[in-house]
Amino acid sequence: MSEASVRPAKDVRDTQLDAAELHARLARTWGSGRGLLAALSTVDHKIIGRRYIVTAFLFLFLAGLSAVAMRLQLARPESALMGPDLYNQLFTMHGTTMMFLFAVPVMEAFAVYLVPLMVGTRNIAFPRLNAFSYYVYVFGGLMLWVAFALNIGPDTGWFAYVPLSGPENSPGKRVDFWAQMITFTEVAALAVSVEIITTVFKQRAPGMTLDRLPLSVWTQLVTAFVVIFAMPAVMLASTMLILDRLVETHFFNPAEGGDALLWQHMFWFFGHPEVYIIFLPATGFVSSIVVTFSRRPMFGYLPMVLSVISVGFLSFGLWVHHMFTAGVPQLGASFFTGASMLIAIPNGVQIFCWIATLWDGKPVFRTPLLFALGFIVIFVIGGLTGVMVASVPIDTQVHDTYFVVAHFHYVLIGGAVFPLLGAVYYWFPKLTGRMMSERLGTWHFWLAFVSFNVAFFPMHILGLQGMPRRVYAYQAEMGWGPLNLLVTIGAAFFFLSFVLFLWNAVTSLRAGAPAGDNPWDAGTLEWATSSPPSPQNFDRIPFVTHREPLWAQRDALTVVAGLAVDHREVLVTSVTEARPDLRETSPAPSIWPFVSAIAVGATFIASIFTPWGVVWGAAPVGVALICWFWPKGAPEDEE
Amino acid sequence: MRSPRHAVVVAASLALAGCEGWQSSLDPKGPHASAIHDLFWFFTAVCALVWALVVLALAWALWRRRGLRPDPLSIQGGRERRLTIVVSTLVALTGVTLIGLTIASYASQRRLFGPQEARLTIRITGHQWWWDAVYEDPDPQRTFSTANEIHVPVNQPVLLKLEASDVIHSLWVPSLAGKQDLIPGRQNLLTIQADRAGVYRGQCAEFCGWQHAHMGFLVVAQPQQDFDAWRNQQIVARAPPDDELRKQGEGVFLSSTCVTCHTVRGAGAGGRVGPDLTHVGGRQYIAAGALRMSAEALAAWIVDPQGVKPGVHMPATPLRPDQVQPLAAYLEGLK
């Protein structure tokens, strides 16, 4: 197909046009058009990524509000603010939303937006699947929160242990909504993972060997693989739970030969990698920020990459440390102690490399770096308490107490939310073309940093003093009142810090200083294009000669030429060396991913109420998919 | 709302005072809890040191004096090599530290979960939301059942066989030992031992539904003689009521729905759904630690269990006002 003679006559190449006309014609080719139908049909990874980010932050605020409500209840002993019914729904919604509707999707959202820009391509691989995944995710999240609003929200925790979540102990539809929400989120997450892996392996700009891949992209790549291997476990588990509940199978019923612990194994086989699915992309953000604001390339690029990969592998060997008190054999438990200790080493390597980079560089203290530094201070505490809970004897005391609540909030907020906030400050100019306010950003950072520690550090002590998790009330004679009040005050201020953040984002969006292409003088490819990027991302695909291409070629990037202008075409390159391989047509906008998502969503929801939902739902799903994949004759198909 | 500063002061003082709590892993009163306590503080000391060193290194990296660096790509080979040596050393030290901690953990695990001789075995079954305790004995005559409060002799390892009837629960008495789950279809074992006489509180640690928060448990550790006396007294049936009010109360008990769920040995009530009430008056709390034992508390509980523990499986018992007081007096008298 590289033969010029078989090319259609009208095929205009970028070599034939001057810069201005090339830009305009590419923008027309890759643009999404106007109107509602066009908005729903778009396959632009930037538009979908932006929607993903905004939606995930919306869920963050909902989950944060439910946390504030719980903290008000726990501020004093035997509070009558709410009963166990609402409280149990709230902590289930909080955990479920934070894990499944915020943390995982927001990391994917950044991948969807940034990875194609960072590897220098024009769109994500399988862009229609990308649109589909977003709509499926939105419908799943909406279903869960509508159920909660109707007071049929799930109430068995984000982990939904059987037999409590089984048909006998949780009649009604609450748990079914939870289990089906898992299905929605998993479909979305698996789709994005496939897109990211394909984009990274096959659509990198020529010259971007794996050795020159930005660390942020490495983390997204490893995360995508972790998702692909971890998520099926929980999908299987939630499907078996639904079958137990809807069609009376007995997978988890010990009275009929099922096993209650089976659920825990399958859930945590996913649930522990899940932590790294959230954490690894965050380390990628930190690497990007540290490099840019240290003003030097990452110290120890290779050890960093190897650490990320080994964390990905090791994350699958830790799950039983969530079950040390469930009566697993001691020899088996010790294996998981060893594995849990071991994962501290690659994480330690990353911390040391960041500090070494900062040490040898010349740090510029802007808001993104503040959040990256806050991340190191907080996350190391979470990591070290992680080493403590990896010990079986210690875990038998602190498991399922507020000590563990403190531990994983240090890990997840310190390890993922702080880097994420840093990432928003860092990439906001790229997404919007405007800078966020540094002054508000500094206030935001210090308010968040201090209030986070006020809210979560005392929880360590509460747990050691015997306060279990997931209690809606506690008696005054337990003596936990004052520390709980302090925690609630900290939580309220922590929530305020997010309001401040939102305020900063909204005002900056309207009146922030114009950013320009590369406001931080960063080195990676996403800064080589305009802010916000035009629909085609790059007028000419860069040719990469260095890990930090924009630092290596300050005047003008070398580019490759020869891509079509009048239809969507991306350059496919080889996996390791990124040698140009093929020109491949990239799908045009289509409404069918949206229609398919509606059909799939309706099928999933209907199947909660009757198994026949699957049968009747198959027809519209089938029709929508046929329309989606109807062959239209892409140029290379005809050759 | 109190001022934050006031709250900080109160919290700080209570954080220290909390070490003397009756449900606290910071206040071990048995060999198992003590061993974990020592291991915990060893880990904490090492981890605190590591954290302090990391933060110091970070602070130094940020604020050390340094020369100009016009081009971000100007890397000095010599400095890079020195940094490599430093970072590799730190990684190696991390590895050594982790190996040390792992060995300490394994040693402690071996001590805690190794084979142990126990002369007393209690089978504990978790229910939503109370604990059934059966004192096992080779002689069936000496087997008896009680609920939510167990007595053990001091300085004696006691084996707990843990089972569950409905959902997963977890038994946790932090002053004596770590927790262990009670799982339907399985039996887990936990050995506890108290070094000192006293009352140690525990509660369910695995989320088990609406009243997970009110699923308390007491371990009363007594000198051997006191324990034997208590045990012998638990084995016998209830003493017949000796006054008019309590006789009337037993009549109410036997003629109401109470008997469908509760046992009072000797009175002819043999329900197995709820706690054994034969000696309920001798317990310190009712409703799994929710209310302190008194006739008033019993009356309140019987009349409106949903008001005390929303969602509890015990139904409200329809009683006339003149029946409540005798019934409460009767139950309180079941020492």
Side-chain angles (χ1 to χ4, degrees):
Chain A
M1 69 166 261
S2 56
E3 291 293 319
S5 55
V6 294
R7 201 189 310 149
K10 276 180 66 190
D11 188 358
V12 183
R13 297 297 185 89
D14 52 12
T15 41
Q16 298 158 317
L17 302 170
D18 66 25
E21 196 186 346
L22 176 66
H23 179 83
R25 288 180 73 161
L26 278 172
R28 203 160 54 238
T29 303
W30 287 87
S32 297
R34 290 176 176 281
L36 182 64
L37 194 66
L40 295 175
S41 304
T42 184
V43 292
D44 186 331
H45 74 100
K46 298 180 292 299
I47 296 175
I48 291 163
R50 226 160 49 204
R51 287 178 190 165
Y52 243 123
I53 294 173
V54 171
T55 314
F57 270 94
L58 188 74
F59 283 122
L60 170 71
F61 272 86
L62 286 173
L65 276 174
S66 47
V68 170
M70 286 190 284
R71 282 319 313 176
L72 289 177
Q73 163 75 6
L74 291 178
R76 59 200 173 87
E78 292 294 358
S79 161
L81 191 65
M82 62 182 77
D85 177 25
L86 180 58
Y87 187 86
N88 294 351
Q89 285 188 62
L90 280 174
F91 80 67
T92 305
M93 293 300 288
H94 172 76
T96 303
T97 304
M98 283 296 191
M99 296 302 267
F100 292 106
L101 300 177
F102 163 65
V104 173
V106 85
M107 297 303 169
E108 285 163 1
F110 271 83
V112 164
Y113 192 97
L114 288 174
V115 165
L117 288 167
M118 288 181 138
V119 302
T121 185
R122 288 193 170 146
N123 204 354
I124 199 164
F126 314 122
R128 291 183 180 177
L129 184 65
N130 192 33
F132 173 77
S133 86
Y134 170 73
Y135 295 121
V136 165
Y137 154 63
V138 171
F139 294 151
L142 276 179
M143 176 196 71
L144 188 73
W145 277 88
V146 167
F148 176 70
L150 299 175
N151 195 26
I152 40 175
D155 59 352
T156 55
W158 86 280
F159 49 96
Y161 273 11
V162 294
L164 183 63
S165 61
E168 284 178 13
N169 295 294
S170 291
K173 292 293 167 201
R174 291 169 175 247
V175 176
D176 300 306
F177 286 112
W178 179 87
Q180 207 59 300
M181 181 281 311
I182 298 283
T183 318
F184 277 98
T185 315
E186 310 299 288
V187 168
L190 287 170
V192 173
S193 299
V194 170
E195 296 152 27
I196 294 299
I197 291 173
T198 314
T199 308
V200 173
F201 276 164
K202 294 305 292 177
Q203 286 185 216
R204 298 199 306 280
M208 186 183 274
T209 59
L210 283 183
D211 191 37
R212 292 177 186 150
L213 197 59
L215 280 169
S216 213
V217 179
W218 266 114
T219 61
Q220 293 286 7
L221 177 69
V222 173
T223 303
F225 274 106
V226 175
V227 167
I228 283 180
F229 287 102
M231 294 265 177
V234 72
M235 230 166 143
L236 182 64
S238 68
T239 305
M240 285 158 82
L241 177 63
I242 291 180
L243 290 174
D244 267 14
R245 294 178 56 85
L246 295 181
V247 297
E248 289 157 30
T249 54
H250 294 288
F251 291 110
F252 303 122
N253 180 2
E256 296 288 341
D259 186 2
L261 272 190
L262 177 63
W263 169 267
Q264 296 189 20
H265 281 292
M266 290 198 297
F267 186 81
W268 290 118
F269 186 82
F270 144 81
H272 201 85
E274 162 89 345
V275 175
Y276 291 94
I277 290 168
I278 295 165
F279 172 66
L280 282 176
T283 65
F285 301 157
V286 173
S287 293
S288 289
I289 292 169
V290 163
V291 166
T292 297
F293 294 95
S294 296
R295 317 298 310 144
R296 68 151 279 166
M298 178 60 74
F299 169 83
Y301 175 89
L302 184 63
M304 288 292 281
V305 171
L306 293 177
S307 296
V308 171
I309 295 173
S310 56
V311 167
F313 275 105
L314 286 173
S315 70
F316 286 94
L318 310 182
W319 83 92
V320 171
H321 77 206
H322 296 267
M323 301 166 59
F324 281 162
T325 66
V328 288
Q330 293 301 324
L331 185 65
S334 348
F335 170 82
F336 288 91
T337 295
S340 309
M341 297 276 184
L342 196 58
I343 204 165
I345 292 179
N347 285 321
V349 169
Q350 295 208 59
I351 301 270
F352 295 141
C353 287
W354 287 318
I355 294 180
T357 307
L358 288 162
W359 186 90
D360 191 49
K362 198 162 171 55
V364 181
F365 291 91
R366 307 296 290 273
T367 311
L369 185 65
L370 291 184
F371 277 98
L373 300 176
F375 150 80
I376 294 180
V377 173
I378 294 174
F379 172 73
V380 171
I381 295 180
L384 289 167
T385 52
V387 167
M388 296 167 83
V389 299
S391 160
V392 172
I394 294 176
D395 190 62
T396 62
Q397 280 289 19
V398 298
H399 177 70
D400 269 336
T401 71
Y402 266 84
F403 187 92
V404 169
V405 178
H407 156 69
F408 69 74
H409 281 92
Y410 268 80
V411 169
L412 288 173
I413 296 182
V417 175
F418 271 69
L420 177 72
L421 293 171
V424 172
Y425 280 94
Y426 182 60
W427 279 297
F428 189 87
K430 182 50 63 185
L431 267 82
T432 65
R434 291 182 185 276
M435 308 295 290
M436 285 179 84
S437 157
E438 273 294 315
R439 198 171 52 86
L440 283 179
T442 311
W443 275 99
H444 170 208
F445 169 74
W446 285 108
L447 181 60
F449 184 78
V450 173
S451 61
F452 167 80
N453 284 293
V454 173
F456 290 97
F457 195 82
M459 288 185 182
H460 291 109
I461 302 167
L462 280 169
L464 294 169
Q465 287 178 352
M467 184 168 171
R469 296 169 73 176
R470 302 166 184 137
V471 290
Y472 77 100
Y474 54 91
Q475 284 142 304
E477 59 189 353
M478 303 310 298
W480 303 326
L483 275 184
N484 269 301
L485 180 62
L486 180 67
V487 167
T488 299
I489 292 166
F493 279 99
F494 192 52
F495 186 79
L496 271 184
S497 78
F498 281 88
V499 175
L500 189 63
F501 165 69
L502 184 67
W503 173 255
N504 192 355
V506 170
T507 52
S508 303
L509 193 60
R510 295 175 52 201
D517 292 359
N518 190 0
W520 312 114
D521 187 29
T524 40
L525 282 185
E526 76 272 28
W527 303 103
T529 179
S530 56
S531 306
S534 49
Q536 70 270 33
N537 289 353
F538 303 92
D539 291 344
R540 295 179 195 278
I541 301 300
F543 180 84
V544 176
T545 55
H546 193 276
R547 260 176 222 154
E548 306 289 341
L550 304 195
W551 283 351
Q553 293 185 300
R554 285 197 167 270
D555 302 327
L557 287 176
T558 320
V559 293
V560 288
L563 284 171
V565 174
D566 285 336
H567 73 270
R568 296 175 175 229
E569 201 169 70
V570 292
L571 189 59
V572 173
T573 51
S574 63
V575 173
T576 48
E577 299 293 319
R579 289 208 187 87
D581 224 357
L582 302 164
R583 293 177 298 117
E584 174 82 16
T585 299
S586 180
S590 162
I591 191 64
W592 293 108
F594 176 71
V595 177
S596 305
I598 290 181
V600 167
T603 305
F604 284 169
I605 295 173
S607 69
I608 293 178
F609 297 93
T610 163
W612 286 101
V614 180
V615 177
W616 298 122
V621 171
V623 170
L625 289 179
I626 288 169
C627 294
W628 175 350
F629 291 107
W630 195 262
K632 304 261 183 12
E636 64 262 32
D637 295 336
E638 292 167 356
E639 282 166 20
Chain B
M1 190 70 113
R2 277 181 275 178
S3 77
R5 183 181 293 174
H6 179 62
V8 170
V9 174
V10 173
S13 56
L14 252 112
L16 299 172
C19 300
E20 285 151 21
W22 62 336
Q23 177 175 319
S24 174
S25 60
L26 298 173
D27 186 26
K29 290 289 166 48
H32 304 95
S34 294
I36 301 175
H37 182 258
D38 296 345
L39 185 69
F40 172 81
W41 283 111
F42 173 65
F43 267 64
T44 305
V46 172
C47 290
L49 182 68
V50 170
W51 180 77
L53 291 176
V54 169
V55 172
L56 280 176
L58 179 64
W60 183 42
L62 292 175
W63 286 297
R64 76 186 185 92
R65 292 167 167 277
R66 60 193 99 210
L68 279 174
R69 188 193 183 97
D71 178 10
L73 292 182
S74 64
I75 304 282
Q76 292 179 18
R79 264 234 300 257
E80 204 78 350
R81 266 194 304 280
R82 281 199 299 280
L83 266 181
T84 308
I85 294 169
V86 172
V87 168
S88 312
T89 314
L90 288 173
V91 172
L93 281 177
T94 309
V96 171
T97 311
L98 286 168
I99 289 171
L101 291 174
T102 309
I103 290 172
S105 172
Y106 284 168
S108 172
Q109 190 183 356
R110 203 181 164 87
R111 263 202 315 280
L112 283 169
F113 300 102
Q116 288 167 36
E117 287 284 316
R119 293 232 306 269
L120 177 64
T121 303
I122 309 172
R123 194 174 72 240
I124 296 181
T125 308
H127 302 275
Q128 281 180 326
W129 290 276
W130 62 283
W131 312 89
D132 185 20
V134 174
Y135 280 68
E136 294 192 338
D137 197 287
D139 176 4
Q141 296 285 333
R142 290 183 57 80
T143 299
F144 66 90
S145 167
T146 180
N148 301 329
E149 177 181 318
I150 61 169
H151 290 231
V152 298
V154 287
N155 290 324
Q156 293 264 352
V158 176
L159 180 68
L160 306 181
K161 293 181 177 171
L162 305 175
E163 297 171 358
S165 70
D166 38 35
V167 302
I168 300 175
H169 305 277
S170 188
L171 184 82
W172 184 37
V173 187
S175 301
L176 299 183
K179 60 185 72 62
Q180 188 66 250
D181 294 355
L182 298 79
I183 302 173
R186 286 176 183 257
Q187 185 182 70
N188 283 335
L189 301 177
L190 175 70
T191 309
I192 60 169
Q193 181 175 337
D195 285 339
R196 243 176 290 172
V199 179
Y200 308 110
R201 193 181 190 275
Q203 85 184 81
C204 179
E206 183 62 79
F207 177 64
C208 57
W210 275 37
Q211 283 306 325
H212 167 57
H214 294 121
M215 189 167 163
F217 185 73
L218 283 191
V219 177
V220 180
Q222 297 171 304
Q224 187 71 45
Q225 289 160 318
D226 295 359
F227 170 73
D228 289 338
W230 175 84
R231 188 180 189 180
N232 290 332
Q233 181 247 344
Q234 291 286 314
I235 289 166
V236 297
R238 69 95 178 80
D242 48 7
D243 63 53
E244 210 37 54
L245 184 68
R246 295 182 54 237
K247 271 186 191 147
Q248 197 191 333
E250 185 165 88
V252 174
F253 183 80
L254 294 174
S255 60
S256 72
T257 50
C258 304
V259 291
T260 55
C261 298
H262 293 286
T263 293
V264 175
R265 280 173 273 134
R272 305 279 312 152
V273 177
D276 187 313
L277 300 179
T278 310
H279 298 286
V280 65
R283 298 178 201 150
Q284 301 188 15
Y285 283 83
I286 59 167
L291 296 171
R292 214 174 258 282
M293 168 61 73
S294 71
E296 294 73 29
L298 281 163
W301 173 240
I302 294 164
V303 170
D304 184 19
Q306 298 296 330
V308 179
K309 285 169 73 164
V312 71
H313 295 314
M314 173 159 153
T317 314
L319 292 173
R320 292 194 311 276
D322 63 321
Q323 291 177 313
V324 175
Q325 201 205 347
L327 178 59
Y330 166 69
L331 291 171
E332 196 214 1
L334 293 173
K335 300 287 187 189

